[in-house]
Amino acid sequence: MKKNIMKGLAKVALAFLVALLPSQLSSAQKRVRELSRGGTKFYEKKDFSKAEIEYRKALEINPNDKVSSYNLANTLYRTKRGEEASKLYQTLLEAPRLTETEKADATHNLGNVFMGEKKYAEAIKVYKISLRVRPDDEETRYNLALAQKLMEQQNQQQNQQQDKNKEKEDKQDESKDQDQKKQENPEDQSNKEDKTQQQESKAEEKMSKDNANKILDAFLKDEKDTQKKVDKAKQLRGPSNKNQKQW
């Protein structure tokens, strides 16, 4: 008889807990939404420190809340913590619960993080992902074009620096060879240098006035072309991220 009573009480308690659980979950999720909305209000006012606090409170209740995670990543980006923001965006993108629009937003903003870190190849990759999902997004399209242009310039600068380093090494090697030759035959080396100077002097004398003018014209044209490139580069603006895509 006692066993039957105990079993009955256990069933009643279990039924009560099962009935209570949805209510508790609903209440917790409601609180998460409230905190997330509060964070967004602070974010819109550019009070990023308070926004971060609200988003983190929401994630303490539900670590898997995608809206709070995404908006926290945006907040970290706006407070110059690109590395933290990047990790959070990428974790979010690995989750299977994102809609296509949310994926487009997250990849766009992740591209902005990479742009700030001058990781143009990575930025190009994620901007392309975003455009595959939402091909009519002009903001993402512009950022992609800018990333491609900046990567091209970055590669050119790296190649130029490599050429300069090689040229410097070659000159150092040549200087060492000349010093060694001077030590071996100082008189012969002196005679060679005198002959070289004489030849250079004659070559300069042979240069006609017309040739000099042609060289000057070519130089001025090159200067104009260079200035055009500089002016064009100055017109480039940074990635369009003032209105960071928010949920």
Side-chain angles (χ1 to χ4, degrees):
M1 185 69 178
K2 287 182 179 180
K3 287 183 179 180
N4 291 335
I5 293 173
M6 292 298 293
K7 286 182 180 179
L9 290 173
K11 288 181 180 179
V12 171
L14 182 61
F16 176 76
L17 289 173
V18 170
L20 186 63
L21 188 59
S23 175
Q24 288 178 329
L25 289 174
S26 177
S27 177
Q29 191 55 34
K30 182 180 179 182
R31 179 59 179 156
V32 168
R33 286 196 297 268
E34 288 174 354
L35 289 166
S36 188
R37 287 169 184 163
T40 300
K41 288 180 181 178
F42 285 123
Y43 182 95
E44 290 172 349
K45 294 176 182 177
K46 297 184 179 181
D47 192 343
F48 301 122
S49 60
K50 289 183 179 178
E52 180 180 350
I53 291 170
E54 296 299 291
Y55 292 138
R56 289 194 184 279
K57 284 181 180 178
L59 289 170
E60 285 178 5
I61 299 172
N62 182 6
N64 296 319
D65 185 63
K66 62 182 180 180
V67 175
S68 298
S69 295
Y70 175 82
N71 289 339
L72 175 59
N74 289 349
T75 304
L76 293 171
Y77 170 78
R78 295 300 296 272
T79 52
K80 311 298 181 184
R81 285 178 283 173
E83 186 175 351
E84 292 179 65
S86 176
K87 288 179 180 178
L88 200 50
Y89 283 131
Q90 292 182 72
T91 299
L92 191 62
L93 285 166
E94 291 171 1
R97 61 191 187 279
L98 291 187
T99 66
E100 290 296 285
T101 298
E102 289 168 346
K103 184 178 180 181
D105 287 344
T107 47
H108 172 94
N109 288 358
L110 179 57
N112 291 347
V113 175
F114 286 138
M115 285 286 280
E117 296 173 344
K118 296 185 179 180
K119 296 179 179 178
Y120 303 125
E122 290 90 337
I124 290 168
K125 182 179 178 180
V126 293
Y127 283 144
K128 285 182 177 179
I129 292 172
S130 183
L131 284 171
R132 279 197 290 270
V133 177
R134 190 167 51 204
D136 59 343
D137 191 320
E138 291 301 321
E139 190 177 9
T140 306
R141 190 176 297 281
Y142 168 80
N143 285 3
L144 172 61
L146 179 59
Q148 290 171 328
K149 180 66 177 176
L150 291 174
M151 187 173 73
E152 181 184 339
Q153 292 177 353
Q154 188 182 63
N155 291 337
Q156 288 176 350
Q157 289 172 355
Q158 289 174 349
N159 291 335
Q160 288 173 356
Q161 188 60 45
Q162 289 174 356
D163 291 341
K164 285 181 181 179
N165 292 339
K166 188 177 183 304
E167 185 179 351
K168 186 177 180 181
E169 290 175 1
D170 291 342
K171 284 183 178 179
Q172 288 175 346
D173 292 339
E174 185 180 350
S175 179
K176 287 179 182 178
D177 291 340
Q178 289 177 353
D179 290 341
Q180 187 175 357
K181 287 178 181 179
K182 283 181 181 179
Q183 291 175 0
E184 292 174 354
N185 299 301
E187 292 182 2
D188 292 344
Q189 187 64 29
S190 177
N191 291 334
K192 286 181 181 179
E193 289 178 355
D194 290 341
K195 287 181 181 179
T196 301
Q197 289 177 356
Q198 290 174 4
Q199 290 172 353
E200 289 176 353
S201 178
K202 288 179 181 179
E204 289 175 1
E205 290 174 1
K206 286 181 180 179
M207 184 185 293
S208 67
K209 195 171 184 180
D210 291 338
N211 286 338
N213 287 335
K214 286 180 181 179
I215 292 171
L216 180 60
D217 291 341
F219 173 78
L220 291 173
K221 184 178 182 301
D222 186 58
E223 284 290 295
K224 288 178 182 178
D225 291 341
T226 301
Q227 187 59 46
K228 286 180 181 178
K229 291 178 182 177
V230 171
D231 292 340
K232 190 175 180 180
K234 285 180 179 178
Q235 292 172 1
L236 288 175
R237 55 191 174 97
S240 180
N241 54 20
K242 282 186 177 179
N243 299 318
Q244 192 83 339
K245 296 181 187 297
Q246 192 82 353
W247 294 351

